[in-house]
Amino acid sequence: PLEQVWAEDVLDTRIANIRRVFAGRVNITPEEVEPRVAASVLHQGLASRLVSPAMATAVVHGLLLHPDALRWRSVPSGPLPLLLVEDRAIPTPRPDTHGPEATADVIERSIVQGLLEPAATAFRARVKLSPHVLRGNLMSAIAGAARRLEEMLPEHGAPAQAVAEALLASPSLAGTGSFNTSRTVRSTRLGHNRKIRFTRNSCCLYYRLPGAGKCADCVLLRDTEPSR
């Protein structure tokens, strides 16, 4: 069951694994990687893994995968493998026919409040993390899902963006960031420019690793500074 992902023993193991991975990247010891950095990045990855399919199926098909039908498989690191064990879905108003607020409401209740808020509580019980950081991670994942959907299916880009903006206005995510005029950010990791609309009001803490850099939507990223 998906809820086991944020059980104490599983979280502790995955956080320890990420500390080892990050230590190898920047040539330090795992003990030098702050647990809260590893936990925050793990949380944002989990948020992205759950939000992305929810945004895509809701915007494109008017359906939301039922959380009770999701299962997971353990891996040491990297994206979390997910499985839908039965064909269960929640009918979801599509933004192009019912408005983005109706779509956002279903995603907020089912995914944000139903899954990711309990996950955030579990993370904070294991590692000292600000709730502001965790909420920012979630909104960053939502904005990223909308941007990626626009890149892959341009005809659904505007509805996806409208749903992301409606989620930002929801009680769960209000104040976590802002959507502005599109700006160009150079990514040193990807080697090309990206168009970014969203800026979060917090930081995922990844920059605290030596030489790690900042994300494209980070509140700490200066206008002339490349992102990671």
Side-chain angles (χ1 to χ4, degrees):
L2 189 61
E3 290 81 2
Q4 289 182 2
V5 173
W6 46 88
E8 291 183 4
D9 56 338
V10 176
L11 274 185
D12 289 346
T13 298
R14 287 182 66 84
I15 290 170
N17 286 340
I18 290 178
R19 293 178 77 187
R20 284 193 289 270
V21 170
F22 285 176
R25 285 183 188 176
V26 298
N27 197 30
I28 58 177
T29 67
E31 292 73 23
E32 291 177 282
V33 178
E34 296 176 78
R36 62 178 181 145
V37 173
S40 176
V41 174
L42 174 62
H43 174 266
Q44 183 153 342
L46 174 64
S48 296
R49 194 73 184 87
L50 296 175
V51 161
S52 294
M55 289 280 289
T57 56
V59 170
V60 178
H61 301 291
L63 294 169
L64 198 66
L65 304 180
H66 202 293
D68 292 345
L70 287 173
R71 299 292 184 270
W72 69 289
R73 179 167 57 84
S74 179
V75 291
S77 61
L80 188 72
L82 295 179
L83 171 71
L84 193 67
V85 294
E86 55 183 305
D87 292 334
R88 294 178 65 188
I90 302 170
T92 306
R94 284 181 49 169
D96 53 353
T97 55
H98 295 84
E101 291 79 11
T103 311
D105 181 64
V106 177
I107 294 174
E108 183 190 14
R109 285 186 284 106
S110 299
I111 305 300
V112 176
Q113 296 178 353
L115 291 177
L116 288 167
E117 287 187 357
T121 299
F123 270 81
R124 294 188 65 216
R126 308 307 299 162
V127 179
K128 187 176 181 180
L129 275 170
S130 163
H132 188 51
V133 167
L134 296 178
R135 291 172 68 240
N137 288 349
L138 175 50
M139 191 60 223
S140 177
I142 291 168
R147 184 180 69 251
R148 186 61 176 152
L149 190 55
E150 181 178 27
E151 292 170 354
M152 298 185 69
L153 299 171
E155 66 274 22
H156 295 289
Q161 177 65 25
V163 171
E165 292 179 8
L167 282 164
L168 179 59
S170 69
S172 299
L173 296 164
T176 54
S178 59
F179 285 101
N180 308 298
T181 303
S182 180
R183 68 191 190 285
T184 300
V185 177
R186 177 72 177 174
S187 171
T188 55
R189 178 172 58 91
L190 299 176
H192 59 72
N193 294 333
R194 287 188 287 174
K195 293 289 187 181
I196 300 295
R197 293 194 189 101
F198 178 70
T199 303
R200 58 185 289 175
N201 288 341
S202 60
C203 173
C204 73
L205 308 178
Y206 185 75
Y207 83 100
R208 294 181 65 84
L209 289 174
K214 305 180 184 75
C215 301
D217 63 357
C218 183
V219 68
L220 302 177
L221 187 71
R222 298 186 296 271
D223 290 340
T224 58
E225 184 182 4
S227 71
R228 66 180 183 91

